[in-house]
Amino acid sequence: MGLLVVDSLSKRFKDLQVLDQLSFEVEEGSVFGFIGKNGSGKTTTMKIITGLLKAEGGQVYIKGRKVEFGETPTNHLLGYLPDVPEFYSFMNAYEYLSFCGRVTGMNSTDIDRKATELIALVGLQDSAKRRIRGYSRGMKQRLGIAQALVHDPVLLICDEPTSALDPQGRSEILAILSQVRERTTVLFSTHILADVERICDTVGVLNDGKIVLGGNLERIKSTHRRDTIALTLDGVSLAGLDTLATELRALPFVERLSLQGMAMLVDVKSVQEDGQQLLAQLVEKRLTLLSYQVIEPTLENLYLDVIA
Amino acid sequence: MNGFSAFLSKELLQALRSMRFLIVVAAFLILGLMNAPLAKFTPQILELAGVGEMLEGLIPPTPVAFDAWAQFFSNIAQMGILAILLLCGPMLSWEKSKGTLVLPLTKGLGRMSVVLIKFIVMTLLWTLGLLVASLVSWGCTLVLFPGETVEYLALGIFLLWLLGVFLLALVPLSSVLFRGSMSGLILPGAVLFIFLIALAFPNLISWNPLLLGQNSVLLLIGAAETGDFLAPSLVAGITAIVTLVAALISFRKAAL
Ligand SMILES: Nc1ncnc2c1ncn2[C@@H]1O[C@H](COP(=O)(O)OP(=O)(O)OP(=O)(O)O)[C@@H](O)[C@H]1O
Ligand SMILES: [Mg+2]
């Protein structure tokens, strides 16, 4: 059983069915990328996992313990960064982290050590003694990551943690997320697929209230590989390309062939064997190859496919 | 009760830094300071203004300490209570609507702790304010009306205090049931309004908690007996406990 188990969650707002029997699991030690378009229900799901919102049906388990709506003992296991974190702006970052530490029952030595360590980790050293009132959005996002990690939670849930950050900040936060995976399982939502490809080992794409694509990222990519070869040729006119396309389509191993400008996209059964035959054909026709590329499916392609 | 002391110190720090603490002290200092001089010098002021003749018989010619305390009770029961409600009423509803509770609550801060501490700190501020006003008023009366005493002063002030606690105890439930940053004021406002209207019904009046504010001054000149305040005190006390318990229970299952 996964560290986080979401089992047939249903949630509706008036006549809008946001989650429809949503189920997925997050394994211990993984970094799970939660993807879905605006309004697909990512934040709603996270609020149910943290007990802030009531689901009409289904249940959530963290480490085998059931999440209750409202006050829930599972919250001791959590670090949560909401999409727009709100702090006590009359405190400074250091005071806020100490407050969070005390809430979770840490002793003052641990709090001191952890707060100092986290402030350095998220790069807030220069403003740690300034009131949060004056922080920029990006600074609040950094503090948000720090507060979620104060008590070394078992599960870290972040709602679009990189959305307010500059490119460097984004990079730093992603590094932190993948760095904490040794002790902490991470679930984060995002629209930035490059972030997912960079640090996630597992993904779930939420659409129409369900996971429409989910599991290990490498495995998803290999099962969805379409063995496509992209070719560009030298000295062939558009008309010539058309004729060539018709000829190649007649070959038994070519499953599909399309033209994209001067490039030719050929779907074959197996890149290894059929690719050789395709090359042989081109050599026979005395054509000069400018480029030959095996296309890997990107998460973006897969995502656009499944939510279409 | 997880995180009780952490949240309590946060709340006290906030009262200090948000100036709420200072405002309470300053406001009640002024409320305490006005009564005795006003009572003492009203006849002279009216004389100077040339309206002394017209008001002959309406105001006592030689003011006594009781007049100062009558001023005090009416000021606190109206302006004092209004001030403390406006200052403390939004304490929970503002946090709820802003979302500042989300981070501590999702770390396991007990929801009971939140409700209890909000009530405790509100009561603390009210007690502090009332104490400041009472002491200042007592000092001024001592100076301006030397040698004069009034009966049942401490009991009268306690009844005022109870009225305040009764209204403040409605704030948490109000904040939980209604949305919006000022929603903590809805229930106390409504209850105040209902009991003000209820003052017009003679057969209900002996139970009305608002007597604790208006009428407790009558104790001081023997125009009312201590027993008269038992029923209103019971209504206030029981209502306060019931609404607090209701707030504790409903906040445990509140969506945030
Ligand atoms: N309190 C609410 N009342 C009514 N509708 C709501 C409420 N909260 C969310 N919704 C609706 O539920 C749907 C899902 O919202 P949610 O915030 O979970 O989406 P999301 O996937 O987080 O989107 P985004 O990527 O923009 O953050 C949206 O259509 C939203 O309008
Ligand atoms: Mg969202």
Side-chain angles (χ1 to χ4, degrees):
Chain A
M1 194 157 98
L3 179 87
L4 169 71
V5 178
V6 173
D7 179 21
S8 12
L9 275 192
S10 295
K11 175 72 193 174
R12 60 186 311 144
F13 292 109
K14 305 236 166 61
D15 48 1
L16 180 71
Q17 187 80 40
V18 178
L19 304 180
D20 180 17
Q21 302 276 318
L22 170 69
S23 298
F24 66 91
E25 290 193 17
V26 178
E27 295 301 326
E28 185 154 10
S30 59
V31 179
F32 184 95
F34 197 28
I35 316 166
K37 55 188 176 197
N38 289 129
S40 57
K42 302 181 296 297
T43 300
T44 303
T45 308
M46 291 181 166
K47 282 187 167 179
I48 294 172
I49 297 173
T50 49
L52 298 172
L53 208 60
K54 191 179 171 71
E56 276 95 47
Q59 47 271 317
V60 178
Y61 297 90
I62 300 173
K63 241 187 163 181
R65 288 205 258 165
K66 190 167 188 289
V67 173
E68 309 281 347
F69 165 59
E71 176 132 359
T72 170
T74 48
N75 275 356
H76 294 283
L77 306 167
L78 286 186
Y80 175 48
L81 172 61
D83 45 0
V84 186
E86 293 289 349
F87 307 94
Y88 293 121
S89 54
F90 61 89
M91 293 183 180
N92 64 39
Y94 186 84
E95 288 168 335
Y96 194 81
L97 292 180
S98 308
F99 162 71
C100 290
R102 285 185 63 194
V103 162
T104 60
M106 291 163 68
N107 68 41
S108 56
T109 334
D110 285 348
I111 290 175
D112 226 41
R113 181 182 49 78
K114 199 71 193 183
T116 315
E117 179 192 317
L118 283 170
I119 282 170
L121 185 68
V122 299
L124 281 178
Q125 300 95 319
D126 297 338
S127 8
K129 299 282 176 196
R130 269 171 49 200
R131 299 269 166 95
I132 299 172
R133 190 189 314 283
Y135 280 20
S136 71
R137 256 192 84 190
M139 288 161 77
K140 286 185 182 167
Q141 203 73 23
R142 287 162 189 263
L143 179 58
I145 294 274
Q147 63 79 29
L149 289 170
V150 157
H151 52 307
D152 281 326
V154 172
L155 176 63
L156 174 65
I157 298 180
C158 299
D159 202 349
E160 295 181 35
T162 56
S163 60
L165 298 169
D166 55 38
Q168 188 200 347
R170 217 181 98 193
S171 200
E172 286 167 9
I173 296 300
L174 288 177
I176 293 171
L177 291 184
S178 56
Q179 190 181 327
V180 299
R181 71 197 308 168
E182 278 145 41
R183 276 177 294 184
T184 300
T185 305
V186 181
L187 163 69
F188 80 104
S189 70
T190 183
H191 296 123
I192 307 167
L193 296 171
D195 290 358
V196 176
E197 298 217 60
R198 200 163 130 195
I199 66 164
C200 293
D201 43 41
T202 336
V203 298
V205 178
L206 182 61
N207 197 44
D208 290 332
K210 293 188 183 61
I211 295 288
V212 287
L213 179 70
N216 183 283
L217 189 54
E218 288 308 311
R219 208 168 314 134
I220 289 178
K221 280 190 179 177
S222 67
T223 51
H224 286 78
R225 174 169 289 140
R226 270 215 316 259
D227 292 86
T228 302
I229 296 164
L231 296 172
T232 43
L233 299 163
D234 190 26
V236 182
S237 66
L238 264 180
L241 213 55
D242 265 342
T243 335
L244 181 63
T246 321
E247 285 175 32
L248 292 180
R249 277 192 189 106
L251 295 169
F253 58 85
V254 173
E255 300 209 305
R256 204 159 63 125
L257 189 150
S258 57
L259 295 176
Q260 267 183 14
M262 294 305 285
M264 196 177 264
L265 295 175
V266 190
D267 286 4
V268 291
K269 283 201 189 68
S270 147
V271 171
Q272 278 78 23
E273 295 144 34
D274 302 335
Q276 296 294 329
Q277 294 203 46
L278 184 64
L279 281 174
Q281 286 288 329
L282 296 175
V283 170
E284 198 174 292
K285 292 187 196 305
R286 301 192 153 272
L287 292 167
T288 314
L289 210 51
L290 276 181
S291 74
Y292 176 95
Q293 195 183 6
V294 179
I295 308 269
E296 282 280 322
T298 61
L299 186 55
E300 185 165 343
N301 291 342
L302 294 175
Y303 173 76
L304 292 174
D305 273 357
V306 292
I307 68 155
Chain B
M1 290 301 186
N2 287 307
F4 190 92
S5 73
F7 199 72
L8 183 60
S9 19
K10 168 254 152 192
E11 203 61 50
L12 294 175
L13 185 69
Q14 185 166 24
L16 276 178
R17 290 201 180 154
S18 69
M19 312 291 275
R20 196 175 276 136
F21 182 81
L22 209 72
I23 293 171
V24 166
V25 172
F28 281 85
L29 197 74
I30 294 170
L31 281 178
L33 219 50
M34 304 193 312
N35 319 302
L38 219 58
K40 179 91 180 176
F41 302 116
T42 300
Q44 278 100 313
I45 294 167
L46 294 178
E47 208 69 55
L48 281 177
V51 292
E53 300 277 303
M54 283 154 57
L55 298 173
E56 193 88 32
L58 278 178
I59 50 159
T62 41
V64 289
F66 171 76
D67 297 315
W69 286 110
Q71 282 274 353
F72 172 85
F73 274 76
S74 107
N75 279 341
I76 299 289
Q78 292 166 24
M79 282 190 277
I81 294 236
L82 196 68
I84 204 73
L85 272 181
L86 288 178
L87 266 168
C88 294
M91 268 170 62
L92 179 54
S93 46
W94 189 85
E95 275 213 50
K96 202 176 137 235
S97 77
K98 182 103 194 293
T100 44
L101 287 173
V102 166
L103 298 180
L105 285 181
T106 52
K107 280 193 189 59
L109 172 65
R111 292 189 178 212
M112 288 232 205
S113 306
V114 173
V115 169
L116 273 183
I117 287 167
K118 289 287 179 185
F119 174 67
I120 290 172
V121 172
M122 287 190 296
T123 307
L124 223 60
L125 287 171
W126 166 232
T127 310
L128 176 77
L130 191 59
L131 216 60
V132 166
S134 305
L135 285 176
V136 169
S137 188
W138 181 73
C140 291
T141 312
L142 208 65
V143 170
L144 292 175
F145 303 95
E148 293 183 39
T149 51
V150 289
E151 281 191 83
Y152 291 122
L153 181 58
L155 179 63
I157 291 174
F158 170 76
L159 294 176
L160 270 184
W161 180 81
L162 191 63
L163 174 65
V165 172
F166 157 69
L167 290 170
L168 290 176
L170 301 169
V171 167
L173 185 62
S174 188
S175 315
V176 176
L177 293 185
F178 304 105
R179 277 165 186 273
S181 58
M182 301 297 273
S183 67
L185 292 170
I186 294 176
L187 211 54
V191 166
L192 209 52
F193 182 72
I194 289 169
F195 281 121
L196 273 174
I197 290 178
L199 283 175
F201 296 90
N203 48 343
L204 291 174
I205 203 159
S206 63
W207 293 89
N208 197 317
L210 294 190
L211 292 186
L212 300 175
Q214 285 217 323
N215 287 23
S216 43
V217 69
L218 297 178
L219 270 176
L220 276 56
I221 46 163
E225 288 175 24
T226 49
D228 297 346
F229 297 97
L230 191 62
S233 299
L234 277 178
V235 172
I238 292 172
T239 314
I241 291 170
V242 169
T243 44
L244 267 183
V245 170
L248 286 171
I249 293 172
S250 53
F251 192 54
R252 274 178 75 89
K253 294 283 172 203
L256 284 170

